[in-house]
């Protein structure tokens, strides 16, 4: 699939962690407004009742341009409190915990509907979420409950896999019942490399390197001394080794 590293026309976009409660409140308002406009909610009550959205284990990120927040996304790290998807899919995701995987749920994604580059901003925001989770938060696997009509994009581009399961999902109206998708983050390196980089001469155009490896001037990550995984490691080779049968 011939995907190339995208570019943002807006040079002022910065994607970074939130710095204070005001930014969290603005990000939350963007999420609520979008969900209400889309018809997923009648009001902000489902968000307010979701304890995970008010937990210290939720990491909130924003995309801003000239001080205006135009996008947001969150990671909810697994804990004894569980994840937002647990009420609906607990039996399905228990196997990941039993294997000792560190999991996180991608949640509260929203882009300002008036922003001109919505599709590219989604891609840049997801690039940030992946790299932060992988290199800084030591996450092994993503889970995301996504509205069904958006799922093909996540499957075809981001290479998520659907976990077949029919369950009631309390955070949106029944008619918008989502599907549960998952992505193992180490293995994603091999998947993305084989799909997006093999045969590409100009590595600067590699969608694999853009999404999973390279930094970007529009993305502000924490200090490098906070990294728990290094970008210099050949993660494609690591993923290949993990897929080899274990000798007994």
């Amino acid at each position: 699939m011939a995907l190339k590293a995208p570019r943002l026309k807006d040079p002022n976009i910065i994607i970074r962690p939130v710095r204070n409660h005001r930014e969290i409140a603005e990000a939350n308002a963007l999420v609520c407004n979008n969900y209400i406009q889309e018809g997923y909610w009648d009001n902000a009550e489902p968000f307010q009742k979701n304890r995970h959205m008010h937990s210290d284990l939720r990491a909130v990120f924003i995309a801003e341009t000239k001080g205006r927040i135009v996008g947001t996304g969150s990671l909810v790290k697994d804990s004894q409190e569980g994840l937002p998807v647990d009420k609906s899919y607990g039996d399905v995701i228990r196997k990941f915990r039993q294997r000792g995987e560190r999991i996180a749920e991608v949640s509260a994604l929203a882009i300002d509907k008036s922003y001109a580059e919505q599709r590219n901003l989604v891609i840049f925001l997801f690039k940030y979420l992946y790299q932060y989770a992988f290199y800084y938060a030591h996450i092994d696997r993503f889970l995301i409950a996504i509205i069904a009509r958006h799922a093909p994009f996540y499957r075809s581009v981001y290479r998520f896999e659907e976990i077949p399961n029919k369950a009631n999902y309390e955070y949106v109206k029944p008619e918008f019942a989502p599907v549960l998708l998952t992505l193992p983050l180490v293995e994603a390196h091999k998947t993305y490399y084989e799909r997006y980089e093999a045969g590409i001469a100009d590595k600067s155009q590699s969608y694999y390197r853009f999404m999973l490896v390279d930094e970007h001037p529009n993305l502000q990550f924490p200090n490098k001394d906070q990294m728990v995984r290094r970008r210099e490691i050949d993660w494609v080779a690591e993923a290949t080794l993990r897929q080899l049968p274990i000798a007994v």
Side-chain angles (χ1 to χ4, degrees):
M1 187 174 183
L3 282 181
K4 293 183 179 180
R7 295 183 179 181
L8 285 168
K9 295 178 183 178
D10 182 356
N12 299 305
I13 279 288
I14 295 295
I15 299 177
R16 60 171 176 81
V18 292
R19 294 173 180 156
N20 51 52
H21 290 293
R22 177 188 62 80
E23 291 181 346
I24 294 175
E26 288 187 28
N28 290 348
L30 179 58
V31 173
C32 291
N33 289 339
N34 274 22
Y35 278 41
I36 292 169
Q37 287 182 42
E38 290 290 340
Y40 306 152
W41 301 336
D42 292 325
N43 52 53
E45 186 177 356
F47 186 91
Q48 298 302 331
K49 287 186 173 181
N50 185 341
R51 72 180 190 278
H52 299 283
M53 295 297 100
H54 312 286
S55 166
D56 291 339
L57 292 170
R58 175 194 177 203
V60 185
F61 310 96
I62 58 170
E64 64 171 352
T65 178
K66 297 182 179 179
R68 171 187 163 213
I69 295 177
V70 294
T72 184
S74 296
L75 292 175
V76 181
K77 294 180 68 173
D78 196 22
S79 70
Q80 292 183 346
E81 295 295 316
L83 296 168
V85 293
D86 265 299
K87 274 195 172 182
S88 302
Y89 304 100
D91 290 341
V92 180
I93 64 177
R94 188 172 296 119
K95 63 181 181 180
F96 301 133
R97 294 188 176 106
Q98 291 173 343
R99 292 204 296 253
E101 293 188 38
R102 293 173 289 268
I103 60 180
E105 183 173 343
V106 179
S107 186
L109 286 166
I111 303 295
D112 189 322
K113 292 183 180 299
S114 68
Y115 187 70
E117 295 186 77
Q118 292 191 39
R119 182 182 174 89
N120 272 357
L121 188 54
V122 168
I123 294 172
F124 271 80
L125 187 58
F126 193 81
K127 166 186 171 71
Y128 192 100
L129 291 170
Y130 178 95
Q131 293 197 15
Y132 178 91
F134 187 74
Y135 294 112
Y136 291 90
H138 212 189
I139 299 301
D140 299 317
R141 179 179 292 273
F142 274 167
L143 292 165
I144 186 170
I146 196 79
I147 302 302
R149 63 186 171 88
H150 297 312
F153 176 77
Y154 282 80
R155 289 196 300 262
S156 64
V157 177
Y158 294 149
R159 311 310 296 162
F160 275 76
E161 296 179 354
E162 184 173 343
I163 300 177
N165 186 58
K166 298 294 183 182
N168 294 322
Y169 191 71
E170 64 175 6
Y171 298 117
V172 295
K173 294 178 182 178
E175 60 265 35
F176 296 107
V179 296
L180 183 63
L181 304 178
T182 186
L183 180 72
L185 301 189
V186 173
E187 287 79 358
H189 280 265
K190 184 173 184 290
T191 303
Y192 277 49
Y193 177 83
E194 291 175 347
R195 186 167 181 85
Y196 297 127
E197 181 162 319
I200 293 180
D202 183 359
K203 301 305 181 186
S204 69
Q205 295 296 313
S206 165
Y207 194 79
Y208 157 64
R209 293 198 61 86
F210 167 80
M211 285 298 299
L212 307 189
V213 181
D214 292 341
E215 298 182 79
H216 193 278
N218 293 82
L219 276 55
Q220 293 182 355
F221 288 103
N223 293 332
K224 292 187 184 300
D225 60 7
Q226 297 181 40
M227 297 178 75
V228 294
R229 291 180 172 121
R230 310 303 299 181
R231 296 178 187 275
E232 298 79 12
I233 292 175
D234 186 343
W235 291 106
V236 176
E238 175 66 21
T240 302
L241 287 173
R242 291 190 178 198
Q243 293 177 352
L244 294 175
I246 300 174
V248 294

